[in-house]
């Protein structure tokens, strides 16, 4: 792609003073495999989640109170009876508005502005650049200083909302310990819901903004032992942020898929208690 002249007034690889190399890259390995795998993985999740968010079927298991995270919190009168753990805040919604509309946009923005996902889609979707030592096709680079990318700087605020949504998901998981005839119940669905919530917390707390909130701007850790302890814990999680980003995409889809199978009657929940 580096067919433009190095005398162009562009930036990046097209800026003045950069070596004039006609080939887009001199790499001979299969550098395109990781970005391709990334875009396929992200696309698979986005397509699945979008379809599931709009179908409005098989998202709630009334017998065991399993609620898929894609529909939580469900605050519309359009929600299935019993699925609204926090009551009805709005009336019936047209079919083009997902029932999980309160949380979904913020969760999407939380992930879209995540430092790891930025790296992933800047490379895989935006080709900016697609890989190390592979020229990007863009003639200009303005970074995250202009719309729309300046929104990336709001990531820390989406983090706060993600914490609230994680609390909501935690409440849903606790409410799901419900037996078919009432009282306490416990089945395979509970294990899946709880595992998903634990991993969502791990992903959320491993956020770079969380790490900064915990230990940033401190001059003396010794004067803030609690924040220092919290910072060391989230720093350990932070080293696994990419793994957690992918793992939670998988557990979110798996949790929703399991709830869908049980709610639709395709699968019977494996019950250990009641
Ligand atoms: Fe990834 Fe904040 S950096 S969620």
């Amino acid at each position: 792609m580096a067919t433009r002249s190095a005398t162009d007034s562009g930036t990046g690889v097209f800026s003045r003073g950069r070596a004039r190399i006609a080939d887009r890259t001199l790499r001979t390995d299969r550098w395109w495999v990781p970005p391709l795998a990334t875009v396929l993985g992200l696309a698979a999740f986005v397509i699945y989640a979008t379809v599931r968010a709009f179908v409005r079927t098989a998202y709630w298991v009334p017998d065991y109170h399993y609620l898929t995270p894609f529909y939580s919190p469900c605050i519309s009168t359009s929600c299935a009876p019993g699925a609204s753990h926090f009551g009805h805040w709005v009336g019936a919604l047209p079919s083009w508005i997902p029932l999980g509309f309160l949380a979904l946009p913020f969760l999407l923005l939380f992930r879209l502005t995540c430092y790891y996902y930025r790296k992933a889609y800047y490379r895989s979707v935006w080709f900016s650049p697609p890989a190390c030592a592979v020229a990007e096709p863009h003639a200009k680079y303005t970074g995250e200083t202009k719309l729309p990318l300046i929104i990336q700087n709001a990531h820390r605020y989406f983090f706060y909302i993600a914490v609230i949504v994680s609390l909501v998901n935690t409440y849903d998981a606790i409410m799901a310990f419900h037996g078919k005839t009432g009282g306490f119940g416990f089945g395979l669905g509970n294990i899946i819901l709880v595992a998903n919530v634990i991993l969502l917390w791990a992903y959320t707390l491993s956020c770079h903004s969380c790490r900064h909130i915990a230990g940033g701007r401190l001059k003396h850790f010794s004067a803030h032992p609690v924040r220092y302890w919290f910072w060391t814990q989230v720093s350990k999680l932070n080293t696994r942020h990419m793994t957690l980003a992918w793992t939670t995409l998988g557990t979110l889809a798996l949790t929703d898929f399991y709830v869908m199978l049980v709610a639709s009657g395709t699968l019977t929940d494996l019950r250990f208690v009641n």
Side-chain angles (χ1 to χ4, degrees):
M1 198 36 105
T3 52
R4 295 179 52 167
S5 162
T7 58
D8 285 355
S9 58
T11 56
V13 294
F14 303 115
S15 53
R16 294 173 204 273
R18 293 295 293 264
R20 298 186 188 198
I21 299 173
D23 295 320
R24 187 176 177 194
T25 182
L26 301 178
R27 285 180 67 167
T28 54
D29 62 332
R30 296 195 298 164
W31 58 266
W32 45 269
V33 172
L36 178 65
T38 301
V39 81
L40 289 177
L42 290 178
F45 179 81
V46 168
I47 292 169
Y48 175 83
T50 304
V51 171
R52 281 292 295 152
F54 281 95
V55 290
R56 291 194 180 185
T57 57
Y59 60 88
W60 165 249
V61 181
D63 283 349
Y64 310 129
H65 292 194
Y66 295 161
L67 177 65
T68 170
F70 291 170
Y71 284 69
S72 177
C74 213
I75 56 165
S76 160
T77 53
S78 302
C79 296
S84 301
H85 291 154
F86 299 93
H88 296 135
W89 301 6
V90 294
L93 291 173
S95 58
W96 51 271
I97 298 182
L99 293 181
F101 76 96
L102 191 63
L104 287 179
F106 295 107
L107 289 180
L108 184 67
L109 285 166
F110 181 53
R111 298 244 171 189
L112 269 180
T113 57
C114 162
Y115 286 68
Y116 165 68
Y117 284 111
R118 284 186 219 182
K119 175 191 141 188
Y121 66 75
Y122 282 179
R123 288 188 178 182
S124 309
V125 181
W126 216 293
F127 299 149
S128 182
C132 290
V134 181
E136 59 191 295
H138 310 289
K140 274 191 163 182
Y141 177 74
T142 54
E144 294 169 345
T145 58
K146 292 196 164 91
L147 277 173
L149 293 186
I150 198 169
I151 296 170
Q152 307 282 28
N153 296 296
H155 181 66
R156 75 197 74 170
Y157 303 111
F158 300 133
F159 164 77
Y160 294 128
I161 298 173
V163 168
I164 295 170
V165 176
S166 294
L167 287 170
V168 169
N169 291 153
T170 304
Y171 184 78
D172 292 340
I174 293 169
M175 294 304 286
F177 286 95
H178 188 273
K180 192 166 188 172
T181 54
F184 178 80
F186 176 43
L188 178 58
N190 295 104
I191 296 174
I192 293 173
L193 284 165
V194 169
N196 178 54
V197 158
I198 290 172
L199 286 163
L200 282 179
W201 273 114
Y203 168 69
T204 306
L205 295 176
S206 71
C207 169
H208 292 69
S209 292
C210 175
R211 188 166 176 265
H212 180 73
I213 291 162
R217 293 176 176 266
L218 291 183
K219 286 206 168 113
H220 305 289
F221 276 138
S222 57
H224 303 273
V226 175
R227 286 185 67 181
Y228 176 63
W229 178 85
F230 188 57
W231 177 81
T232 51
Q233 303 311 311
V234 297
S235 294
K236 286 179 200 162
L237 281 176
N238 181 261
T239 61
R240 294 182 164 72
H241 195 56
M242 180 184 82
T243 308
L244 288 165
W246 280 106
T247 306
T248 47
L249 280 193
T251 57
L252 274 168
L254 176 75
T255 304
D256 175 78
F257 191 62
Y258 186 80
V259 170
M260 180 181 74
L261 291 178
V262 176
S264 63
T266 311
L267 201 73
T268 304
D269 187 38
L270 177 62
R271 302 300 291 175
F272 307 116
V273 178
N274 192 11

